[in-house]
Amino acid sequence: MRVEHGDIPPYFGADEVVSNAMAVDEKGGIYAASDKIMRKIVWTGSTLSADAADGAWAAPYDFGRQPPAVKFGIGTGSTPTLMGYGKDDRLVVLTDGADRMKLVAFWRDTIPEGFQPKPGTKSNRIADQIAVTAGLNPQPEFIQSEQSVVVDGYGAFVVNNARPEGALDRLVDVLAGGPVFAPPSGIERFQWNPSDHRWTSVWSRADVVSTSMVPTESSKSGIVFVNGYTRADGWEVTGLDWKSGKTVHRTIFGQSNLGNGAYAMVQFFPNGDLLFNSVGGPLRVKFNS
């Protein structure tokens, strides 16, 4: 069936911008965030619906200013990530667009009976939100991410991609972050508590750099991986213990920009080799046993 543009309902307002991908659940829920509003649109089996009777909803969240580097727009830099299955809390999470971002969890399905909106939230659809410090003290003007929240069970991991200087051209900006402009730093791990429906911070590291590559976690090894740059060692993939935040892995590429992952995803082959999609093309890294 051919669908003309005029046949598509206006799910988003004329003043909204969508700059991230979407998430889809097993029941036909499609989760899409504009720069102001988080939405669930439902595939009914024959059509897309924004009707609450079909389980759809829309919830505003906090947004801020355009940071000087890496991030696009004033809203979330995250593709919505699903958290929680079965009978426990079923959530969809993202980082918001506040200048110093918060980690936000939305109720995916029916809002629990008797749930009281948390102070400071824009919607009772928001189950809880928590400020991200990324371990940085003093706090910089911007703490913002252009990456999806990494989720394992009810654990969540976020990175700070914001830095005070950037280039107007986004391609130049992502190439210059680190070698030319001082790289961003700061990461943080959170945990959702289903018993009282709230976030807590587990650990943070102000010294770890994640420039623009999508982090990945290996649930089998319990390691979360980021890609960053330091003056001393150049580009590297850094692995942090999911439970403690300690550095347990380093793949050092050095000063060559081939170690810049530039918005790609850190990936590993089943045998443990690293598939690194750099700005110069994919690399396969074999490790000594």
Side-chain angles (χ1 to χ4, degrees), residues 112-204:
E113 186 176 353
F115 173 74
Q116 296 297 315
K118 300 293 178 70
T121 58
K122 285 188 172 181
S123 169
N124 66 344
R125 176 62 61 179
I126 295 177
D128 193 25
Q129 59 188 25
I130 187 172
V132 177
T133 70
L136 299 168
N137 185 21
Q139 292 278 279
E141 184 178 6
F142 290 97
I143 297 177
Q144 269 292 322
S145 176
E146 190 67 0
Q147 316 305 330
S148 300
V149 179
V150 177
V151 165
D152 184 355
Y154 279 115
F157 173 83
V158 299
V159 300
N160 172 45
N161 296 137
R163 47 186 163 81
E165 291 183 282
L168 293 178
D169 184 283
R170 285 305 186 194
L171 177 58
V172 173
D173 188 59
V174 77
L175 293 174
V180 179
F181 299 117
S185 66
I187 59 176
E188 193 161 1
R189 229 274 278 157
F190 296 89
Q191 191 72 23
W192 178 261
N193 188 335
S195 63
D196 56 4
H197 314 309
R198 69 184 183 93
W199 290 115
T200 55
S201 177
V202 179
W203 54 261
S204 61

XYZ file of all heavy atoms in Angstrom, residues 112-204:
714
model
N 0.506 3.081 37.694
C 0.023 2.327 38.853
C -1.012 3.106 39.661
O -0.887 4.317 39.854
C 1.298 2.084 39.680
C 2.402 2.149 38.679
C 1.979 3.156 37.662
N -2.016 2.403 40.124
C -3.064 3.033 40.920
C -2.471 3.616 42.202
O -1.680 2.975 42.889
C -4.145 2.000 41.269
C -5.349 2.582 41.975
C -6.440 1.552 42.219
O -6.301 0.416 41.702
O -7.412 1.874 42.922
N -2.830 4.847 42.503
C -2.352 5.506 43.707
C -0.997 6.168 43.561
O -0.499 6.769 44.527
N -0.377 6.063 42.371
C 0.931 6.680 42.184
C 0.821 8.194 42.280
O -0.034 8.813 41.642
C 1.529 6.295 40.830
C 2.807 7.030 40.497
C 3.986 6.703 41.127
C 2.808 8.049 39.558
C 5.170 7.372 40.830
C 3.975 8.719 39.246
C 5.159 8.387 39.887
N 1.683 8.811 43.083
C 1.713 10.252 43.244
C 2.843 10.842 42.405
O 3.991 10.379 42.499
C 1.925 10.621 44.712
C 0.794 10.182 45.635
C -0.518 10.871 45.291
O -0.564 12.085 45.054
N -1.594 10.088 45.253
N 2.542 11.846 41.573
C 3.607 12.449 40.744
C 4.774 12.926 41.604
O 4.578 13.471 42.695
C 2.897 13.620 40.067
C 1.449 13.246 40.074
C 1.228 12.465 41.336
N 5.986 12.712 41.118
C 7.173 13.136 41.847
C 7.341 14.661 41.734
O 7.048 15.242 40.680
C 8.411 12.432 41.300
C 8.359 10.902 41.403
C 8.403 10.416 42.833
C 8.304 8.906 42.930
N 9.474 8.194 42.439
N 7.798 15.320 42.791
C 8.002 16.777 42.752
C 8.918 17.189 41.605
O 9.940 16.558 41.357
C 8.645 17.078 44.113
C 8.211 15.959 45.004
C 8.139 14.748 44.112
N 8.510 18.236 40.892
C 9.342 18.781 39.825
C 9.150 18.156 38.469
O 9.728 18.632 37.489
N 8.352 17.084 38.379
C 8.133 16.442 37.084
C 6.997 17.142 36.334
O 6.065 17.667 36.948
C 7.805 14.957 37.245
O 6.643 14.812 38.076
C 8.972 14.211 37.883
N 7.067 17.120 35.017
C 6.067 17.801 34.195
C 4.830 16.959 33.921
O 3.858 17.457 33.356
C 6.690 18.232 32.858
C 7.600 19.446 32.966
C 8.015 19.925 31.586
C 8.754 21.246 31.670
N 9.151 21.740 30.318
N 4.876 15.670 34.275
C 3.762 14.773 33.957
C 3.719 13.641 34.966
O 4.764 13.181 35.447
C 3.937 14.210 32.541
O 3.027 13.150 32.290
N 2.495 13.172 35.295
C 2.401 12.001 36.172
C 2.782 10.726 35.438
O 2.857 9.658 36.043
C 1.002 11.881 36.783
C -0.073 11.580 35.749
O 0.146 11.747 34.544
N -1.241 11.169 36.207
N 3.046 10.835 34.144
C 3.569 9.714 33.365
C 5.038 9.457 33.730
O 5.550 8.362 33.517
C 3.406 10.031 31.872
C 3.978 9.033 30.901
C 3.356 7.675 30.976
N 1.945 7.612 30.688
C 1.241 6.490 30.690
N 1.840 5.330 30.950
N -0.054 6.514 30.442
N 5.706 10.474 34.279
C 7.104 10.330 34.684
C 7.148 9.610 36.029
O 6.675 10.116 37.043
C 7.804 11.695 34.781
C 7.872 12.341 33.385
C 9.207 11.537 35.365
C 8.482 13.730 33.372
N 7.728 8.410 36.032
C 7.806 7.607 37.250
C 8.812 8.190 38.235
O 8.594 8.174 39.449
C 8.187 6.161 36.902
N 9.933 8.695 37.727
C 10.922 9.389 38.557
C 11.976 9.981 37.638
O 12.141 9.547 36.484
C 11.585 8.435 39.561
C 12.372 9.186 40.645
O 12.037 10.357 40.910
O 13.317 8.609 41.202
N 12.682 10.980 38.143
C 13.813 11.556 37.433
C 14.870 11.947 38.453
O 14.560 12.266 39.600
C 13.400 12.760 36.581
C 12.775 13.908 37.348
C 12.210 14.990 36.427
O 11.855 14.736 35.262
N 12.122 16.203 36.931
N 16.132 11.897 38.023
C 17.238 12.168 38.933
C 18.317 12.933 38.188
O 18.593 12.655 37.015
C 17.804 10.854 39.529
C 18.858 11.138 40.607
C 18.369 9.959 38.443
C 19.302 9.887 41.353
N 18.902 13.928 38.852
C 19.963 14.721 38.239
C 21.196 13.859 38.000
O 21.580 13.043 38.843
C 20.308 15.903 39.133
N 21.824 14.063 36.848
C 23.078 13.385 36.515
C 24.218 14.343 36.845
O 24.301 15.431 36.286
C 23.131 12.998 35.025
C 24.481 12.370 34.688
C 21.990 12.051 34.675
N 25.099 13.934 37.756
C 26.269 14.762 38.079
C 27.497 14.303 37.317
O 28.442 15.070 37.141
C 26.589 14.716 39.585
O 27.093 13.410 39.926
C 25.345 15.018 40.419
N 27.507 13.025 36.901
C 28.656 12.412 36.212
C 29.932 12.533 37.034
O 31.038 12.469 36.495
C 28.844 13.020 34.831
N 29.788 12.737 38.344
C 30.941 12.834 39.222
C 31.699 14.141 39.134
O 32.749 14.293 39.764
N 31.191 15.108 38.366
C 31.914 16.352 38.100
C 31.693 17.375 39.219
O 30.555 17.667 39.590
C 31.467 16.938 36.759
C 31.722 16.037 35.542
C 30.984 16.557 34.325
C 33.215 15.930 35.267
N 32.788 17.906 39.757
C 32.720 18.891 40.832
C 33.899 19.857 40.690
O 35.056 19.433 40.768
C 32.762 18.197 42.197
C 32.562 19.160 43.344
O 32.025 20.254 43.156
N 33.003 18.775 44.535
N 33.624 21.151 40.403
C 32.297 21.768 40.335
C 31.530 21.340 39.086
O 32.137 20.858 38.127
C 32.614 23.263 40.305
C 33.971 23.328 39.659
C 34.708 22.131 40.159
N 30.229 21.532 39.113
C 29.387 21.163 37.987
C 29.593 22.134 36.834
O 29.551 23.356 37.019
C 27.920 21.167 38.411
C 27.564 20.067 39.416
C 27.307 18.746 38.730
O 26.235 18.502 38.204
N 28.309 17.873 38.731
N 29.816 21.631 35.609
C 29.966 22.517 34.450
C 28.613 23.098 34.031
O 27.566 22.713 34.542
C 30.525 21.588 33.378
C 30.000 20.234 33.755
C 29.958 20.208 35.245
N 28.657 24.013 33.082
C 27.431 24.657 32.601
C 26.492 23.644 31.968
O 25.275 23.709 32.134
C 27.778 25.755 31.593
C 26.575 26.552 31.102
C 26.962 27.667 30.147
O 28.162 27.759 29.771
O 26.070 28.444 29.760
N 27.060 22.679 31.233
C 26.252 21.655 30.576
C 26.726 20.261 30.975
O 27.932 19.987 30.989
C 26.337 21.767 29.054
C 25.650 22.974 28.465
C 26.382 24.123 28.164
C 24.287 22.966 28.235
C 25.758 25.233 27.630
C 23.655 24.076 27.685
C 24.390 25.216 27.382
N 25.799 19.393 31.292
C 26.021 17.947 31.362
C 24.958 17.346 30.464
O 23.767 17.384 30.792
C 25.901 17.403 32.800
C 26.974 18.015 33.703
C 26.026 15.878 32.805
C 26.865 17.587 35.149
N 25.369 16.865 29.303
C 24.413 16.404 28.302
C 24.970 15.197 27.555
O 26.187 15.057 27.395
C 24.097 17.513 27.308
C 22.908 18.366 27.685
C 21.605 17.581 27.618
O 21.403 16.750 26.729
N 20.720 17.830 28.568
N 24.069 14.337 27.100
C 24.443 13.139 26.362
C 23.753 13.106 25.014
O 22.608 13.548 24.874
C 24.052 11.889 27.156
O 24.325 10.720 26.401
N 24.454 12.596 24.029
C 23.869 12.349 22.706
C 23.791 10.848 22.464
O 23.707 10.395 21.322
C 24.725 13.042 21.637
C 24.135 13.083 20.240
C 22.883 13.941 20.078
O 22.423 14.536 21.068
O 22.358 14.012 18.950
N 23.779 10.056 23.552
C 23.770 8.601 23.446
C 22.563 7.999 24.172
O 22.063 8.578 25.134
C 25.051 8.013 24.060
C 26.325 8.731 23.693
C 26.546 8.864 22.196
O 26.107 8.022 21.424
N 27.220 9.918 21.778
N 22.162 6.829 23.738
C 21.104 6.106 24.425
C 21.568 5.706 25.824
O 22.754 5.506 26.070
C 20.721 4.838 23.649
O 20.259 5.168 22.369
N 20.601 5.590 26.729
C 20.888 5.071 28.056
C 21.159 3.573 27.924
O 20.396 2.846 27.285
C 19.695 5.309 29.007
C 19.980 4.740 30.394
C 19.362 6.795 29.082
N 22.258 3.093 28.515
C 22.570 1.663 28.510
C 21.819 1.025 29.676
O 21.916 1.493 30.815
C 24.080 1.418 28.661
C 24.374 -0.074 28.727
C 24.839 2.059 27.505
N 21.054 -0.031 29.405
C 20.222 -0.665 30.424
C 20.570 -2.138 30.546
O 20.733 -2.838 29.544
C 18.719 -0.502 30.079
C 17.854 -1.448 30.907
C 18.280 0.930 30.308
N 20.701 -2.609 31.791
C 20.847 -4.030 32.105
C 19.978 -4.294 33.326
O 20.292 -3.820 34.422
C 22.301 -4.377 32.386
C 22.505 -5.874 32.629
O 21.511 -6.624 32.675
O 23.670 -6.302 32.771
N 18.889 -5.040 33.131
C 17.931 -5.222 34.209
C 17.362 -3.884 34.610
O 16.836 -3.137 33.781
N 17.481 -3.529 35.906
C 17.054 -2.212 36.359
C 18.240 -1.279 36.578
O 18.122 -0.258 37.255
C 16.218 -2.330 37.637
C 14.778 -2.703 37.354
C 14.258 -3.922 37.780
C 13.940 -1.848 36.656
C 12.943 -4.271 37.505
C 12.632 -2.185 36.370
C 12.137 -3.393 36.804
O 10.827 -3.733 36.527
N 19.387 -1.622 36.013
C 20.544 -0.741 36.050
C 20.593 0.117 34.803
O 20.188 -0.297 33.718
N 21.098 1.345 34.941
C 21.205 2.269 33.817
C 22.551 2.985 33.866
O 23.067 3.271 34.952
C 20.068 3.285 33.850
N 23.101 3.278 32.692
C 24.408 3.910 32.576
C 24.328 5.045 31.569
O 23.772 4.869 30.476
C 25.444 2.876 32.125
C 26.798 3.433 31.814
C 27.720 3.673 32.833
C 27.173 3.709 30.510
C 28.983 4.173 32.547
C 28.427 4.211 30.210
C 29.343 4.450 31.237
N 24.879 6.219 31.941
C 24.842 7.378 31.050
C 26.218 8.026 30.983
O 27.044 7.867 31.885
C 23.796 8.423 31.499
C 22.397 7.824 31.498
C 24.134 8.985 32.875
N 26.450 8.767 29.904
C 27.724 9.459 29.702
C 27.469 10.938 29.455
O 26.390 11.338 29.006
C 28.506 8.870 28.504
C 28.804 7.398 28.728
C 27.744 9.065 27.190
N 28.474 11.745 29.734
C 28.427 13.172 29.423
C 29.244 13.427 28.166
O 30.437 13.129 28.125
C 28.994 13.994 30.586
C 29.144 15.466 30.208
O 28.244 16.051 29.610
N 30.279 16.056 30.546
N 28.596 13.978 27.137
C 29.280 14.312 25.889
C 29.524 15.810 25.731
O 30.122 16.235 24.744
C 28.461 13.857 24.678
C 28.278 12.359 24.597
O 27.178 11.893 24.296
N 29.319 11.592 24.867
N 29.039 16.622 26.685
C 29.104 18.076 26.526
C 30.483 18.610 26.897
O 31.099 18.171 27.864
C 28.038 18.747 27.380
N 30.960 19.563 26.098
C 32.208 20.262 26.384
C 32.013 21.743 26.070
O 31.096 22.110 25.331
C 33.367 19.669 25.594
C 33.097 19.431 24.123
C 34.272 18.710 23.468
N 33.932 18.119 22.194
C 33.866 18.762 21.033
N 34.143 20.050 20.993
N 33.550 18.133 19.918
N 32.830 22.613 26.635
C 32.580 24.049 26.498
C 32.885 24.628 25.131
O 32.420 25.712 24.810
C 33.495 24.672 27.570
C 34.563 23.651 27.798
C 33.899 22.323 27.601
N 33.685 23.921 24.312
C 34.039 24.443 22.990
C 33.677 23.445 21.904
O 33.768 22.237 22.112
C 35.535 24.723 22.906
C 36.035 25.868 23.750
C 37.519 26.095 23.525
O 38.320 25.329 24.076
O 37.859 27.033 22.779
N 33.285 23.972 20.742
C 32.959 23.110 19.619
C 33.043 23.854 18.307
O 33.184 25.077 18.277
N 32.963 23.115 17.207
C 32.968 23.706 15.871
C 31.544 23.774 15.348
O 30.700 22.936 15.685
C 33.831 22.862 14.934
N 31.244 24.778 14.535
C 29.898 24.927 13.990
C 29.545 23.765 13.069
O 28.418 23.288 13.064
C 29.781 26.256 13.236
C 29.871 27.531 14.095
C 29.801 28.768 13.209
C 28.748 27.554 15.124
N 30.508 23.309 12.279
C 30.287 22.159 11.408
C 30.330 20.890 12.259
O 31.324 20.626 12.937
C 31.358 22.108 10.316
C 31.119 20.981 9.333
O 31.421 19.818 9.681
O 30.656 21.257 8.220
N 29.257 20.081 12.235
C 29.165 18.926 13.129
C 30.189 17.844 12.807
O 30.657 17.139 13.696
C 27.742 18.344 13.080
C 26.716 19.167 13.838
C 27.150 19.390 15.279
N 26.139 20.047 16.076
C 26.357 20.593 17.262
N 27.583 20.577 17.762
N 25.389 21.169 17.933
N 30.542 17.679 11.529
C 31.559 16.694 11.177
C 32.910 17.116 11.739
O 33.634 16.310 12.343
C 31.642 16.513 9.662
C 32.738 15.560 9.168
C 32.565 14.166 9.774
C 32.747 15.490 7.638
N 33.251 18.381 11.540
C 34.498 18.905 12.103
C 34.464 18.784 13.625
O 35.460 18.417 14.265
C 34.718 20.366 11.676
C 35.933 20.963 12.393
C 34.887 20.468 10.169
N 33.308 19.048 14.197
C 33.153 19.019 15.654
C 33.470 17.641 16.227
O 34.197 17.520 17.211
C 31.732 19.434 16.023
C 31.547 19.606 17.519
O 32.246 20.430 18.117
O 30.699 18.896 18.094
N 32.941 16.597 15.585
C 33.153 15.248 16.123
C 34.575 14.773 15.877
O 35.114 13.964 16.635
C 32.128 14.256 15.530
C 32.481 13.860 14.104
C 32.003 13.016 16.401
N 35.235 15.294 14.858
C 36.627 14.941 14.602
C 37.580 15.689 15.538
O 38.633 15.173 15.918
C 36.998 15.255 13.147
C 36.316 14.424 12.060
C 36.684 14.958 10.684
C 36.684 12.960 12.173
N 37.180 16.888 15.930
C 38.073 17.746 16.717
C 37.959 17.508 18.217
O 38.862 17.888 18.968
C 37.775 19.213 16.409
N 36.857 16.885 18.648
C 36.655 16.679 20.078
C 37.707 15.748 20.658
O 37.683 14.545 20.392
N 38.623 16.276 21.438
C 39.736 15.494 21.980
C 41.053 16.027 21.462
O 41.777 16.719 22.191
N 41.391 15.759 20.191
C 42.672 16.229 19.669
C 42.795 17.753 19.616
O 43.876 18.300 19.811
C 42.722 15.627 18.256
C 41.815 14.446 18.316
C 40.719 14.834 19.259
N 41.698 18.476 19.320
C 41.733 19.938 19.206
C 41.066 20.593 20.411
O 41.668 21.409 21.108
C 41.062 20.408 17.895
C 41.088 21.936 17.809
C 41.748 19.794 16.695
N 39.804 20.248 20.631
C 39.074 20.772 21.783
C 39.191 19.799 22.956
O 39.177 18.581 22.763
C 37.598 20.965 21.438
C 37.342 21.929 20.311
C 36.752 21.507 19.134
C 37.702 23.261 20.437
C 36.511 22.385 18.097
C 37.468 24.155 19.398
C 36.875 23.721 18.229
N 39.300 20.349 24.153
C 39.374 19.494 25.344
C 38.166 18.565 25.366
O 37.026 18.994 25.194
C 39.390 20.358 26.603
N 38.373 17.252 25.555
C 37.258 16.296 25.475
C 36.338 16.401 26.687
O 36.737 16.898 27.744
C 37.973 14.943 25.458
C 39.240 15.180 26.217
C 39.652 16.592 25.868
N 35.097 15.933 26.543
C 34.189 15.893 27.684
C 34.587 14.750 28.613
O 35.308 13.827 28.219
C 32.834 15.619 27.045
C 33.178 14.790 25.839
C 34.490 15.350 25.340
N 34.134 14.800 29.835
C 34.384 13.694 30.757
C 33.186 13.529 31.679
O 32.345 14.409 31.793
C 35.654 13.935 31.579
O 35.490 15.038 32.456
N 33.123 12.377 32.327
C 32.069 12.114 33.296
C 31.100 11.040 32.845
O 30.571 11.086 31.722
N 30.921 10.023 33.725
C 29.959 8.951 33.479
C 29.263 8.634 34.805
O 29.771 8.981 35.878
C 30.647 7.678 32.937
C 31.708 7.161 33.936
C 31.285 7.943 31.580
C 32.358 5.842 33.522
N 28.106 7.988 34.735
C 27.399 7.648 35.977
C 26.495 6.440 35.774
O 25.899 6.272 34.717
C 26.573 8.835 36.467
C 26.056 8.685 37.890
C 25.638 10.008 38.528
O 25.735 11.062 37.849
O 25.216 9.989 39.701
N 26.442 5.610 36.821
C 25.589 4.417 36.825
C 24.499 4.574 37.860
O 24.738 5.025 38.975
C 26.438 3.186 37.151
C 26.224 2.029 36.177
C 25.102 1.113 36.492
N 25.456 0.114 37.482
C 24.554 -0.495 38.223
N 23.276 -0.185 38.122
N 24.918 -1.413 39.095
N 23.275 4.234 37.470
C 22.101 4.365 38.327
C 21.405 3.018 38.489
O 21.633 2.084 37.718
C 21.114 5.376 37.734
C 21.633 6.781 37.652
C 22.316 7.221 36.526
C 21.441 7.669 38.700
C 22.806 8.518 36.449
C 21.921 8.970 38.626
C 22.602 9.392 37.503
N 20.528 2.949 39.460
C 19.728 1.754 39.689
C 18.286 2.160 39.970
O 18.040 3.089 40.741
C 20.277 0.940 40.870
C 19.678 -0.454 41.018
C 20.143 -1.426 39.940
O 21.201 -1.232 39.338
N 19.368 -2.474 39.704
N 17.343 1.446 39.331
C 15.923 1.672 39.590
C 15.455 0.702 40.666
O 15.758 -0.485 40.618
C 15.102 1.456 38.321
C 13.624 1.623 38.555
C 12.692 0.647 38.751
C 12.919 2.861 38.623
N 11.449 1.189 38.944
C 11.556 2.554 38.872
C 13.297 4.201 38.499
C 10.584 3.537 38.984
C 12.320 5.186 38.625
C 10.983 4.848 38.860
N 14.711 1.234 41.637
C 14.169 0.415 42.723
C 12.670 0.239 42.510
O 11.896 1.176 42.702
C 14.430 1.088 44.075
C 14.066 0.187 45.246
O 13.239 -0.710 45.119
N 14.666 0.436 46.392
N 12.206 -0.964 42.102
C 10.773 -1.160 41.841
C 9.901 -1.068 43.092
O 8.701 -0.813 42.978
C 10.707 -2.580 41.249
C 12.108 -2.894 40.820
C 12.990 -2.159 41.773
N 10.479 -1.264 44.266
C 9.665 -1.265 45.480
C 9.157 0.128 45.836
O 8.040 0.282 46.340
C 10.439 -1.854 46.656
O 11.572 -1.065 46.957
N 9.984 1.154 45.593
C 9.513 2.511 45.879
C 9.575 3.425 44.656
O 9.463 4.648 44.769
C 10.282 3.133 47.048
C 11.781 3.154 46.825
O 12.238 2.757 45.736
O 12.494 3.571 47.739
N 9.763 2.836 43.488
C 9.678 3.560 42.210
C 10.593 4.787 42.186
O 10.134 5.929 41.994
C 8.237 3.986 41.916
C 7.216 2.934 42.122
N 7.308 1.671 41.586
C 6.049 2.936 42.837
C 6.252 0.948 41.937
N 5.483 1.687 42.703
N 11.896 4.564 42.344
C 12.800 5.712 42.301
C 14.196 5.295 41.864
O 14.581 4.133 41.945
C 12.871 6.400 43.667
C 13.572 5.602 44.753
C 13.520 6.324 46.096
N 14.252 5.595 47.121
C 15.534 5.808 47.431
N 16.215 6.730 46.773
N 16.130 5.107 48.380
N 14.932 6.315 41.372
C 16.320 6.141 40.980
C 17.252 6.371 42.166
O 16.980 7.201 43.032
C 16.715 7.165 39.908
C 16.125 7.016 38.560
C 15.263 7.882 37.947
C 16.390 5.981 37.605
N 14.975 7.451 36.680
C 15.655 6.280 36.446
C 17.169 4.825 37.627
C 15.677 5.473 35.318
C 17.187 4.010 36.508
C 16.455 4.334 35.364
N 18.380 5.682 42.163
C 19.502 6.009 43.030
C 20.774 5.937 42.201
O 20.865 5.160 41.246
C 19.629 5.042 44.235
O 19.711 3.693 43.750
C 18.442 5.191 45.177
N 21.764 6.760 42.561
C 23.062 6.717 41.901
C 23.901 5.639 42.555
O 23.988 5.555 43.786
C 23.756 8.073 42.005
O 25.044 8.030 41.418
N 24.550 4.799 41.749
C 25.378 3.699 42.256
C 26.842 4.120 42.313
O 27.515 3.938 43.328
C 25.214 2.440 41.383
C 26.095 1.300 41.878
C 23.750 2.005 41.354
N 27.358 4.670 41.216
C 28.727 5.186 41.176
C 28.874 6.164 40.022
O 28.048 6.186 39.102
C 29.768 4.069 41.070
C 29.606 3.088 39.933
C 29.043 1.858 39.998
C 30.023 3.260 38.570
N 29.071 1.239 38.770
C 29.684 2.079 37.878
C 30.662 4.284 37.879
C 29.931 1.915 36.510
C 30.925 4.128 36.515
C 30.564 2.952 35.853
N 29.908 6.980 40.093
C 30.210 7.915 39.012
C 31.716 8.049 38.880
O 32.466 7.774 39.824
C 29.567 9.282 39.276
O 30.076 9.854 40.471
